[in-house]
Amino acid sequence: MYKASIIYNNRILKIDSRFSEAYSNLGTTYKAMAQECQNKNKVIDGNHPNGKSSGDDQEDSAKYLEYAEECYRTAIKIRPKYWDASINLAILVSSQGRWKEAIEVYQTIESLMENDYPENARMDHLKMDPNQPHGFINEIVPDMIEQLLQDPYVTSQLTGGNNRMDNDILFVISLAKIEDNRKKFVELQKLAKEQEAQAQGQSTSTSSTPNSTHSKRSGESDNTNNNGNINGISGSSNHNNSHHHHRRHHRENNSFTNEKRCDLYFAKGNLYYALNNFESAKLEYFKGLITIGVDLIELMNSAKNGTLPTPTINPQKVLAALRYHSQNPESSPYNHSSSSILQTLAKIYQDVHLPSVAVAFYYLSLKMYPTANTCNNLGILLSSQRLEESIHWYELGLNLDPNHVHLYTNLGSALKDRGMVTEGIQCYQQAIRIQPDFFIALANLANVYKDMGKVEDAIELYCRALKVKPDFIEAFCNYVNSLLFVCNWRDRNENLHKISSIVDKQLMETKDQVPKGVPTVLPFHTFTYSSLTAQQVREISHRNADRVLWNVIASDWFPGFPRSILDKYSLRSNNVLSTTITSTASATVNGNGHYPYPYPIPPLPEPHIRIGYLSSDFNNHPLAHLMQSVFGMHDRRRFQVYCYSLSPSDQSQYRHTIERGADYFVDMNNWSIKDIVERIALVDKIHVLVNLNGYTKGGKNEIFAARPCPIQIATMGFAGTMGAGNIDREYDPSPDYNEYTNGSEGPKISEEEEDPDLDWFDRLPDRWMDYLVGDEISCPPDTVISEPLSHDMKSVADREIRNDPLQNAKMFTESIVYMPQSFFVNDHRQGFREENDPEIEDILETDPNRLQLVDMNIKAATNEKNFERFSGDLLEEDYLTMDEKIRWRREQLKRVKMRHELFPNLKEDTVIYANFNQLYKIDPLIFNTWLNILKRMKNSILWLLRFPPSGENNLRQYARNYAGDEVASRVIFTDVAPKHMHIYRGRIADIFLDTVECNAHTTAADILWSGTPIITYPKYQFKMCSRVAASVAYATGAWNERDLKYSYHTVPCTAIGPFSEKAQSKNNPNLLGHEMVVGSYKEYEDRAVELGMSMTWTSRNITTWTKEYTHAFINHQINKPDDQMTLIQNIFNHLSIHQQNQNHNTNLNHPNHPNQNPNPNQNQNQNQMMANGVNSINNNNNNNNNNNNSQNPQNPQNPNTFSMINLYKKNVLSITQNPSTGPQLEILLPQGSLVALRRKLFLTRDQMPLFHTARWVAQLEYAVTEMMKRWENGYKKLCQREKQQVPRPSSLIDNSYPPIDKPEDRTLSRSIWVPEEVQAIDLHYDNYYMPNQN
């Protein structure tokens, strides 16, 4: 067949050497022959044993393609406007990767075809030019754009702020204007022909006109989709060669139909897209769509304000249309080619972060021709704001393509976000079944497993994903995070440095996007990534804040930020966000009367400040454990308290306490962001909104980005900056970058504004978090962007931070509320008091008056030298009040009992170092330090939690490798205990060893409440999370003069400070915090060893502590040693009764024990046994000890079965003979400087600032009141400038709180230092503080 075609066309050329169709047909024949050779090669490749193809066939194919190109070019040379030859030539060269040559061919034929039209009706002279103000130019009519901008209709279509959108809208209007001119020209031509025909008396001609539409010739095809095929037009393989020559010229001049134009534009656009020239591709796509009548102006108008457009089609309509198409294929309006172009345009807009425009294009694409890919892409864009709609589109896509793995994966993510985790997992698994190496589904399933605690399974899936795609950044970062979570430190340093490089690259590559790109590393993960610099950590939070604000502004419900009447304040170049963002959804200039807020200003306090707390953690969660009583402690004379819950109730006691404490508790679970914002702003009219989530799970920061309240605060939820404020510096990863070099002059006011109060308001659209509650330890003023550098920071010699490459950038974008003690509030004083142990209470004397008589008698009968032997108290404890002595004696006995209950086989003189943090906080440096401590302290163990269990083996193996088997054997793990038991058993540890990269937070407060000292190292100046424990430790009070007589203390820690003049109390050399906060790993190790070695164990006479003794003493029943022995036997009798009752009750509660009545003779038998003396006690204890030995020494005993009598066998509790006093009941107790610190912490916990919740609330109220006063004064000035109505004055200005700052001290800084003098107002705390409990 090919040979015949060549023969016939060559014969024609012999007759007429300029017959262009013959050359074109030859070109098509040779191209087909080349394709046949290529197909033949593919078959050979598959069948040849070595996979080799025929060299001859390859040569023939290349030769035929050369012949084809030569023939096409000859045809075009003969007939320059030969459409089919030009199109076939473009397809041929583009198939060889010569895309630019193909574009030149298309442009040439386009210009030739357009020559028949006037200049104002031609699109070929529109060119993209980034150097032009609007990004494009008309080379024939250069002033076309300026002419358009004079048209009020045109300017009304523009956004007025979003340059990218305005340029595209202007370009579309230009194209529409040209197309309109073209149609008018065609109509005039048609009218002229009709008139000419009438004048000649001929019938109206219906021959081709420039606008006539022809059916497609055989062989022509639509533009293909955007999945890599860039050959958008097919040429003609055969034509009717009987055309007469005199008809050709007329056809050539009038054959540029709309259909051909559309195909040509789409083909050019695909080539530009393949070359990554997306702006030029967009131009061609616009031309094609306007040619076929798509109203792009209306489409752009629906999305120009940045909000997602209203759906113009839904899945149900698409399914109905599909059914109609299957039944009526000929009458179907579907246009696959145009639909694919719309999808490509949507992708372009999606990639430049204009989701509203992308969604509009996807809707139109689905109308023209629905595909699974389009459903998938649309679902992705809708998922963050219209989750339900996105799910419906995913489901429709799977209806169209049941094996579409992307759809299954994205549907799984959407279902997971909806709370249907099981169904989401099933979708991921189905995607993996279809395509086992689909890395996205593997990584997403791994993410779910990681969140579920199945970390090892997650790691395996991440490895599979990375094996398929080694550069999969999201999977790599989550893989590293998972390894750290279980203390798998293989390649740790390499991985962390790679993450730092990834962050640098992502920050730099996306800094010019609108909004700027968000790094893969989450803000919370920066807590433990030691390779990240201060600038990186800040920028990660800042980019997330940027994206949160963008999500709000791009929402269809957000009213927008109004502009100032002085526009220079609305559009500054140094905004956190590009002016493209903040102006996209801006209202008319100051049109709402409450600039710069999007919602009306609430009436000012008179007298109540309405404060709202927003959290997803008002349940059995650490935050609720810490804050459950806070909400009820507010002064109701001045505050109304609103609690907004983002999660459903778990019916826990914590939830009920919070609900009772708030004036208004609103369950907003499943509410939309819009509904929450409008409730807060328009219904409740909150003045101050508190963010208790930050960047933690369950938070909805978009609520704050929408600015429902005048003032917004962050505290407790996230120990770091939210980054949601003004930063006037671009990210700069260069090694010599240092913000402290030229930053000593402090913050600057914008050039337009001279008043810092007004500047604060003008910057508000770019700042959605105003304040962060902190203190000078957790948030040093030198790390706050809005604070000038202290005198110490100006001196290089005084502060190494200036030259530390990790810490050379300021961190906090918020102003800081500096609490006088610690920012860290807790509820231990109210919510975690322990019930007394009945066994101890049965023997311990707790009547101060009776004990006072005994104490006076001992002092009268002894001297200072032997006072300790008789009293059982240390000499250094004699200054304690009798109430303190009782509490300390009780605590010592509890501690000994619980210690042996949990670790029954542990020697009494063992020093127990402990850490109860989640294991992900442990890193090799601190673990090495702990192992070094164990090496130096032979009589010590390290107690850790299985938190998670999968980390235990990794830490054990590391310990063996680093320190050897003997030291590793002294690393002991126990299971995580319930909250109350976790706090109570904290007393068992001697010292709590804190983690450094990210401290213990809640756990630090837990452990200090139990009385156990901590050792912490605030390594980083800029990382709040690494300074929380130091903040907590320094809120524990100070030694007094009596303490200092016996207790040692250290010099102030060099790791904190220097402090401002407003926080000089931190320099008190007697603070307990100095004992617990160190400045280096070496100091950390030495301090732990020093405190551990200070402990010695001695037998202490506790006979005089007992009720038996005081009763006998007061009744004069102790006259001889036998009397002393009798009362000791009575004490043991009580202990045995308790043990028997405990064992019996435990048996009764056992599920397999028969329900039977207790033995009525049980107590009598026990009394008879104890009356037989110490031998009976010994025998009884032997039996109990045998049971204890059967227990795992690393797991706690059943607390209902352990009795103090068990201590007798272990020689912890013993009976000794004293020559002077006769028999004594003694117990082995530690003493030393560490015990002195423990005693001080325990006995003063009800008085120390750390646990004074009511005082913390009063200090927060002070700060909030000061914020509102400053806000009111500033807003009054703003209203005068903006010519807005000034709100009615509040009742705050003349209240009892004095001003904090002198006028001459005011700067741009709005940080607030709360004076230490602010105390709790005793209103109604009896319900929270229960002094009758311990």
Side-chain angles (χ1 to χ4, degrees):
M1 183 177 68
Y2 297 136
K3 186 177 293 186
S5 175
I6 293 172
I7 292 172
Y8 286 130
N9 280 291
N10 280 323
R11 287 179 181 177
I12 293 172
L13 290 174
K14 285 183 180 180
I15 298 171
D16 184 352
S17 62
R18 296 185 58 79
F19 197 87
S20 56
E21 280 92 340
Y23 282 110
S24 180
N25 289 338
L26 280 171
T28 301
T29 300
Y30 284 127
K31 187 171 71 169
M33 293 171 69
Q35 183 64 48
E36 186 175 86
C37 290
Q38 292 171 1
N39 293 337
K40 187 176 180 181
N41 284 339
K42 290 180 182 178
V43 175
I44 294 174
D45 286 342
N47 296 330
H48 196 283
N50 296 322
K52 296 180 180 178
S53 60
S54 169
D56 292 340
D57 287 332
Q58 290 180 349
E59 292 178 5
D60 290 343
S61 176
K63 179 178 63 177
Y64 292 147
L65 288 175
E66 289 179 9
Y67 291 164
E69 183 176 346
E70 182 181 349
C71 289
Y72 286 141
R73 291 191 182 278
T74 303
I76 295 170
K77 186 176 181 180
I78 296 171
R79 227 170 84 199
K81 297 175 74 172
Y82 191 172
W83 174 263
D84 294 321
S86 296
I87 298 308
N88 283 326
L89 175 62
I91 293 172
L92 187 148
V93 297
S94 66
S95 68
Q96 298 174 336
R98 296 153 59 190
W99 297 335
K100 291 182 179 179
E101 291 182 51
I103 291 174
E104 291 175 0
V105 174
Y106 284 131
Q107 287 176 333
T108 300
I109 187 65
E110 179 186 5
S111 296
L112 289 170
M113 292 298 208
E114 292 276 42
N115 283 335
D116 295 329
Y117 297 89
E119 293 178 349
N120 68 349
R122 295 177 60 173
M123 294 184 179
D124 60 314
H125 288 290
L126 280 177
K127 305 291 182 184
M128 303 307 297
D129 186 352
N131 296 319
Q132 296 297 320
H134 301 284
F136 68 97
I137 188 172
N138 188 323
E139 295 176 334
I140 299 178
V141 189
D143 61 343
M144 179 192 71
I145 300 174
E146 285 67 26
Q147 293 175 10
L148 287 173
L149 290 174
Q150 301 302 315
D151 187 342
Y153 166 77
V154 173
T155 56
S156 69
Q157 301 300 309
L158 305 179
T159 68
N162 189 330
N163 292 333
R164 177 181 283 130
M165 275 297 299
D166 282 347
N167 289 347
D168 286 355
I169 292 172
L170 195 59
F171 185 58
V172 166
I173 292 175
S174 301
L175 289 172
K177 185 74 172 176
I178 291 171
E179 186 66 15
D180 187 54
N181 293 337
R182 190 186 194 94
K183 289 179 180 178
K184 290 178 180 177
F185 172 75
V186 169
E187 289 298 322
L188 288 174
Q189 263 200 342
K190 183 178 179 181
L191 181 61
K193 283 181 176 293
E194 291 175 349
Q195 291 175 347
E196 181 182 355
Q198 291 175 359
Q200 295 177 359
Q202 299 177 358
S203 62
T204 304
S205 173
T206 58
S207 60
S208 299
T209 68
N211 196 40
S212 61
T213 302
H214 296 270
S215 63
K216 293 181 183 177
R217 291 184 178 182
S218 173
E220 292 185 350
S221 68
D222 288 333
N223 180 33
T224 60
N225 61 27
N226 63 316
N227 294 327
N229 185 356
I230 60 173
N231 300 323
I233 307 176
S234 294
S236 174
S237 58
N238 282 294
H239 298 284
N240 185 349
N241 292 327
S242 64
H243 289 305
H244 297 290
H245 288 268
H246 71 272
R247 292 286 305 275
R248 289 188 205 140
H249 182 72
H250 180 75
R251 185 175 67 249
E252 289 169 0
N253 286 346
N254 298 281
S255 62
F256 199 27
T257 65
N258 285 350
E259 185 176 36
K260 287 184 176 181
R261 289 172 62 204
C262 180
D263 288 345
L264 182 142
Y265 299 146
F266 287 173
K268 281 177 65 182
N270 287 341
L271 288 167
Y272 279 124
Y273 191 88
L275 290 166
N276 294 327
N277 186 343
F278 301 126
E279 292 302 309
S280 294
K282 191 162 56 176
L283 180 151
E284 300 300 331
Y285 293 150
F286 284 165
K287 288 161 63 175
L289 292 170
I290 285 177
T291 297
I292 62 173
V294 175
D295 190 345
L296 289 179
I297 297 177
E298 181 182 356
L299 186 146
M300 291 285 193
N301 218 17
S302 69
K304 70 178 181 181
N305 64 355
T307 63
L308 294 183
T310 302
T312 56
I313 194 171
N314 58 49
Q316 292 76 21
K317 290 182 179 179
V318 171
L319 286 173
L322 281 170
R323 286 192 293 269
Y324 178 82
H325 173 66
S326 64
Q327 298 168 2
N328 306 278
E330 297 299 326
S331 60
S332 170
Y334 281 166
N335 187 329
H336 181 269
S337 175
S338 299
S339 175
S340 297
I341 295 306
L342 287 165
Q343 185 181 356
T344 305
L345 274 169
K347 186 65 170 61
I348 290 174
Y349 280 107
Q350 186 174 349
D351 290 343
V352 297
H353 304 285
L354 288 173
S356 58
V357 187
V359 167
F361 276 105
Y362 280 133
Y363 281 143
L364 186 54
S365 175
L366 286 164
K367 278 185 177 180
M368 287 192 173
Y369 191 89
T371 67
N373 281 341
T374 311
C375 292
N376 183 62
N377 293 343
L378 177 59
I380 292 171
L381 282 178
L382 295 173
S383 60
S384 63
Q385 299 182 50
R386 299 178 185 168
L387 184 61
E388 292 302 316
E389 186 185 350
S390 74
I391 290 174
H392 294 324
W393 287 114
Y394 292 142
E395 291 171 342
L396 172 63
L398 288 171
N399 191 307
L400 299 174
D401 182 357
N403 292 317
H404 199 296
V405 291
H406 288 277
L407 279 166
Y408 271 115
T409 302
N410 291 328
L411 177 59
S413 298
L415 292 173
K416 176 177 69 71
D417 292 343
R418 191 202 258 174
M420 302 170 66
V421 178
T422 301
E423 292 80 358
I425 289 175
Q426 291 170 353
C427 287
Y428 295 142
Q429 292 171 336
Q430 179 63 19
I432 295 169
R433 276 192 290 270
I434 295 170
Q435 185 177 329
D437 64 348
F438 185 44
F439 55 89
I440 297 176
L442 290 167
N444 284 358
L445 182 57
N447 294 339
V448 177
Y449 282 163
K450 179 166 69 75
D451 292 342
M452 295 171 65
K454 301 166 67 173
V455 184
E456 296 296 341
D457 292 338
I459 290 173
E460 180 185 351
L461 288 167
Y462 288 134
C463 288
R464 287 175 59 185
L466 290 169
K467 186 176 181 180
V468 177
K469 185 174 175 58
D471 60 345
F472 191 1
I473 291 176
E474 290 79 6
F476 175 75
C477 290
N478 285 322
Y479 166 69
V480 173
N481 186 258
S482 298
L483 291 177
L484 298 182
F485 192 76
V486 294
C487 300
N488 185 331
W489 295 330
R490 64 172 181 258
D491 303 323
R492 179 180 184 275
N493 291 336
E494 179 185 344
N495 288 338
L496 289 180
H497 282 102
K498 184 176 179 180
I499 282 180
S500 178
S501 300
I502 288 171
V503 170
D504 265 343
K505 183 179 180 182
Q506 291 179 330
L507 290 175
M508 291 301 295
E509 288 181 348
T510 61
K511 68 178 183 178
D512 296 325
Q513 292 181 7
V514 180
K516 296 177 180 178
V518 178
T520 303
V521 174
L522 300 176
F524 185 78
H525 291 163
T526 65
F527 287 6
T528 53
Y529 289 174
S530 57
S531 60
L532 299 180
T533 67
Q535 194 185 180
Q536 287 176 318
V537 172
R538 180 187 71 192
E539 197 66 16
I540 287 170
S541 287
H542 178 48
R543 293 288 182 90
N544 276 272
D546 188 334
R547 183 57 53 86
V548 167
L549 182 54
W550 171 262
N551 290 342
V552 170
I553 291 177
S555 300
D556 52 8
W557 52 267
F558 184 63
F561 291 102
R563 299 183 189 175
S564 168
I565 59 172
L566 304 174
D567 200 54
K568 62 183 180 179
Y569 297 129
S570 297
L571 302 175
R572 294 186 307 275
S573 61
N574 60 349
N575 285 357
V576 173
L577 302 176
S578 165
T579 55
T580 304
I581 295 179
T582 53
S583 63
T584 296
S586 293
T588 307
V589 174
N590 205 6
N592 60 17
H594 42 76
Y595 169 82
Y597 293 93
Y599 296 96
I601 300 300
L604 297 186
E606 194 178 1
H608 294 98
I609 296 175
R610 288 186 290 278
I611 184 169
Y613 293 90
L614 185 74
S615 178
S616 65
D617 301 325
F618 290 145
N619 285 311
N620 185 6
H621 182 277
L623 182 115
H625 303 164
L626 296 169
M627 297 192 70
Q628 62 176 333
S629 296
V630 164
F631 315 105
M633 288 185 171
H634 276 290
D635 183 354
R636 266 25 185 215
R637 298 172 302 179
R638 297 182 296 112
F639 287 85
Q640 284 183 344
V641 180
Y642 295 72
C643 285
Y644 301 107
S645 176
L646 301 176
S647 59
S649 175
D650 63 352
Q651 300 301 318
S652 65
Q653 184 58 44
Y654 304 105
R655 176 68 165 234
H656 295 322
T657 300
I658 295 170
E659 289 176 351
R660 290 195 307 268
D663 295 311
Y664 302 92
F665 188 97
V666 186
D667 187 340
M668 293 179 162
N669 178 49
N670 292 328
W671 285 32
S672 68
I673 299 294
K674 172 181 180 291
D675 291 340
I676 295 173
V677 168
E678 291 180 353
R679 169 63 185 262
I680 292 170
L682 305 178
V683 179
D684 296 337
K685 300 179 181 179
I686 300 299
H687 297 110
V688 179
L689 189 62
V690 184
N691 188 338
L692 297 178
N693 271 105
Y695 293 120
T696 61
K697 186 177 181 180
K700 293 184 178 180
N701 291 312
E702 285 79 4
I703 296 166
F704 291 85
R707 261 296 168 179
C709 303
I711 296 174
Q712 299 181 165
I713 307 173
T715 189
M716 293 302 293
F718 181 76
T721 182
M722 296 296 292
N726 306 107
I727 300 175
D728 294 336
R729 294 179 174 90
E730 287 288 341
Y731 178 70
D732 181 0
S734 60
D736 57 348
Y737 179 84
N738 194 325
E739 292 182 8
Y740 292 105
T741 303
N742 299 312
S744 60
E745 68 274 12
K748 297 178 180 179
I749 303 173
S750 66
E751 296 178 0
E752 295 87 356
E753 184 55 76
E754 297 180 355
D755 189 316
D757 285 330
L758 296 180
D759 189 83
W760 188 85
F761 286 101
D762 290 330
R763 290 173 178 260
L764 184 135
D766 299 327
R767 181 189 68 248
W768 50 264
M769 197 54 64
D770 303 317
Y771 291 92
L772 173 68
V773 179
D775 54 69
E776 287 208 14
I777 294 176
S778 62
C779 306
D782 289 329
T783 63
V784 180
I785 289 175
S786 64
E787 290 299 319
L789 294 183
S790 66
H791 173 75
D792 302 87
M793 280 301 295
K794 295 176 186 178
S795 170
V796 176
D798 290 345
R799 296 302 296 275
E800 294 180 357
I801 181 177
R802 294 183 52 145
N803 297 316
D804 185 340
L806 280 178
Q807 308 198 58
N808 58 9
K810 289 195 168 191
M811 176 58 55
F812 298 96
T813 62
E814 303 88 351
S815 297
I816 307 297
V817 172
Y818 284 106
M819 301 296 255
Q821 298 295 335
S822 176
F823 81 96
F824 199 81
V825 66
N826 63 82
D827 196 56
H828 293 75
R829 186 176 170 187
Q830 293 75 232
F832 295 100
R833 293 190 170 274
E834 185 179 10
E835 293 184 1
N836 292 327
D837 186 321
E839 183 180 33
I840 294 175
E841 295 307 302
D842 199 28
I843 64 170
L844 187 67
E845 181 58 75
T846 56
D847 186 330
N849 295 324
R850 294 163 70 92
L851 285 172
Q852 189 68 40
L853 293 174
V854 173
D855 193 53
M856 291 172 59
N857 179 68
I858 292 174
K859 288 181 178 178
T862 63
N863 54 34
E864 186 174 291
K865 185 176 181 180
N866 57 15
F867 170 79
E868 292 183 356
R869 182 188 305 170
F870 287 94
S871 70
D873 297 323
L874 298 176
L875 196 62
E876 64 190 67
E877 296 168 351
D878 187 43
Y879 72 86
L880 299 177
T881 67
M882 195 54 65
D883 177 69
E884 289 174 332
K885 283 187 177 183
I886 294 169
R887 288 194 288 127
W888 181 235
R889 290 171 178 176
R890 178 188 288 125
E891 174 61 19
Q892 291 180 94
L893 295 178
K894 276 186 178 181
R895 184 166 183 264
V896 171
K897 180 179 178 180
M898 290 188 71
R899 182 184 178 100
H900 289 276
E901 178 183 349
L902 186 65
F903 300 113
N905 296 325
L906 202 63
K907 292 182 179 180
E908 183 59 26
D909 64 347
T910 302
V911 178
I912 301 179
Y913 297 101
N915 180 276
F916 301 148
N917 290 339
Q918 294 190 60
L919 298 182
Y920 77 86
K921 293 186 178 183
I922 302 175
D923 68 282
L925 274 178
I926 196 60
F927 197 54
N928 291 348
T929 303
W930 295 349
L931 295 174
N932 290 340
I933 294 168
L934 294 186
K935 287 181 183 179
R936 294 171 62 180
M937 292 290 295
K938 304 300 182 183
N939 63 326
S940 67
I941 66 168
L942 175 61
W943 174 18
L944 304 175
L945 300 182
R946 298 186 182 98
F947 200 5
S950 50
E952 179 178 354
N953 289 335
N954 292 326
L955 286 174
R956 286 191 183 282
Q957 185 59 50
Y958 184 93
R960 283 191 289 269
N961 295 340
Y962 179 85
D965 291 342
E966 191 279 328
V967 171
S969 69
R970 291 190 274 124
V971 179
I972 308 300
F973 288 83
T974 65
D975 294 332
V976 179
K979 179 66 178 179
H980 282 72
M981 180 55 66
H982 158 74
I983 293 177
Y984 302 153
R985 76 179 189 179
R987 59 163 56 90
I988 297 173
D990 293 299
I991 304 175
F992 181 88
L993 301 178
D994 192 23
T995 45
V996 171
E997 292 295 329
C998 181
N999 293 165
H1001 296 175
T1002 304
T1003 304
D1006 294 341
I1007 205 72
L1008 286 168
W1009 177 252
S1010 75
T1012 299
I1014 68 173
I1015 296 178
T1016 187
Y1017 170 28
K1019 180 179 179 179
Y1020 300 100
Q1021 189 87 348
F1022 69 91
K1023 282 174 70 171
M1024 186 180 186
C1025 66
S1026 74
R1027 306 179 67 83
V1028 172
S1031 166
V1032 167
Y1034 270 94
T1036 54
W1039 299 108
N1040 57 34
E1041 293 183 3
R1042 297 181 304 169
D1043 300 321
L1044 297 178
K1045 182 178 178 181
Y1046 298 100
S1047 304
Y1048 94 112
H1049 61 282
T1050 62
V1051 296
C1053 172
T1054 58
I1056 61 168
F1059 299 107
S1060 70
E1061 294 181 0
K1062 301 170 184 177
Q1064 285 302 304
S1065 64
K1066 294 287 195 302
N1067 289 324
N1068 179 357
N1070 297 330
L1071 291 176
L1072 302 182
H1074 297 321
E1075 308 266 8
M1076 297 181 278
V1077 182
V1078 298
S1080 68
Y1081 286 104
K1082 179 67 167 59
E1083 188 179 354
Y1084 187 115
E1085 180 183 326
D1086 290 344
R1087 182 68 53 82
V1089 172
E1090 180 183 7
L1091 288 173
M1093 293 183 67
S1094 75
M1095 294 178 66
T1096 59
W1097 281 260
T1098 58
S1099 290
R1100 306 267 288 277
N1101 176 23
I1102 63 169
T1103 311
T1104 58
W1105 296 5
T1106 66
K1107 292 179 179 177
E1108 290 290 334
Y1109 184 88
T1110 55
H1111 177 79
F1113 173 78
I1114 292 172
N1115 291 287
H1116 306 289
Q1117 296 174 353
I1118 306 177
N1119 298 316
K1120 52 186 178 180
D1122 287 346
D1123 297 336
Q1124 191 100 342
M1125 188 62 191
T1126 299
L1127 68 89
I1128 291 174
Q1129 289 176 347
N1130 290 338
I1131 294 170
F1132 272 96
N1133 181 46
H1134 286 293
L1135 296 179
S1136 295
I1137 292 173
H1138 275 282
Q1139 182 189 40
Q1140 191 71 17
N1141 288 337
Q1142 288 165 357
N1143 288 339
H1144 180 72
N1145 290 335
T1146 302
N1147 289 334
L1148 285 177
N1149 291 328
H1150 194 280
N1152 296 323
H1153 191 278
N1155 187 9
Q1156 57 184 4
N1157 294 325
N1159 183 358
N1161 298 321
Q1162 183 181 36
N1163 292 344
Q1164 180 181 356
N1165 293 336
Q1166 286 291 330
N1167 288 335
Q1168 291 173 351
M1169 180 191 72
M1170 291 305 299
N1172 291 329
V1174 177
N1175 288 334
S1176 297
I1177 298 171
N1178 193 29
N1179 292 334
N1180 180 59
N1181 204 41
N1182 279 332
N1183 294 331
N1184 283 287
N1185 195 63
N1186 290 335
N1187 293 332
N1188 287 339
N1189 286 335
S1190 67
Q1191 301 292 329
N1192 184 343
Q1194 294 184 17
N1195 286 310
Q1197 298 280 336
N1198 187 330
N1200 294 322
T1201 63
F1202 192 89
S1203 169
M1204 285 190 67
I1205 203 169
N1206 297 75
L1207 302 176
Y1208 184 79
K1209 174 66 175 178
K1210 300 171 70 67
N1211 294 324
V1212 177
L1213 190 67
S1214 61
I1215 299 174
T1216 62
Q1217 289 289 338
N1218 187 284
S1220 303
T1221 62
Q1224 289 188 166
L1225 181 62
E1226 295 185 347
I1227 193 166
L1228 199 61
L1229 293 176
Q1231 63 185 55
S1233 55
L1234 178 58
V1235 176
L1237 179 56
R1238 169 186 289 279
R1239 182 176 61 239
K1240 183 68 176 179
L1241 290 170
F1242 178 78
L1243 292 179
T1244 60
R1245 63 183 186 173
D1246 279 324
Q1247 291 77 44
M1248 67 176 59
L1250 175 61
F1251 299 115
H1252 204 316
T1253 315
R1255 183 187 302 170
W1256 186 94
V1257 172
Q1259 291 169 347
L1260 180 67
E1261 290 177 344
Y1262 180 97
V1264 168
T1265 303
E1266 180 63 22
M1267 293 173 200
M1268 285 301 301
K1269 288 162 61 177
R1270 290 187 183 184
W1271 184 91
E1272 182 177 352
N1273 287 329
Y1275 194 69
K1276 180 179 179 181
K1277 289 189 286 184
L1278 184 74
C1279 288
Q1280 293 169 349
R1281 190 193 78 183
E1282 296 292 317
K1283 295 180 173 54
Q1284 296 178 159
Q1285 183 178 357
V1286 179
R1288 181 177 177 179
S1290 73
S1291 59
L1292 302 178
I1293 300 302
D1294 298 323
N1295 67 16
S1296 58
Y1297 287 154
I1300 292 179
D1301 296 326
K1302 298 177 182 178
E1304 60 269 21
D1305 293 337
R1306 291 301 308 279
T1307 67
L1308 184 62
S1309 165
R1310 297 183 75 87
S1311 293
I1312 295 172
W1313 275 262
V1314 179
E1316 291 194 44
E1317 294 75 24
V1318 176
Q1319 300 293 322
I1321 300 173
D1322 188 13
L1323 294 174
H1324 53 279
Y1325 304 135
D1326 291 342
N1327 293 330
Y1328 297 95
Y1329 178 41
M1330 297 165 284
N1332 59 318
Q1333 296 182 356
N1334 289 304

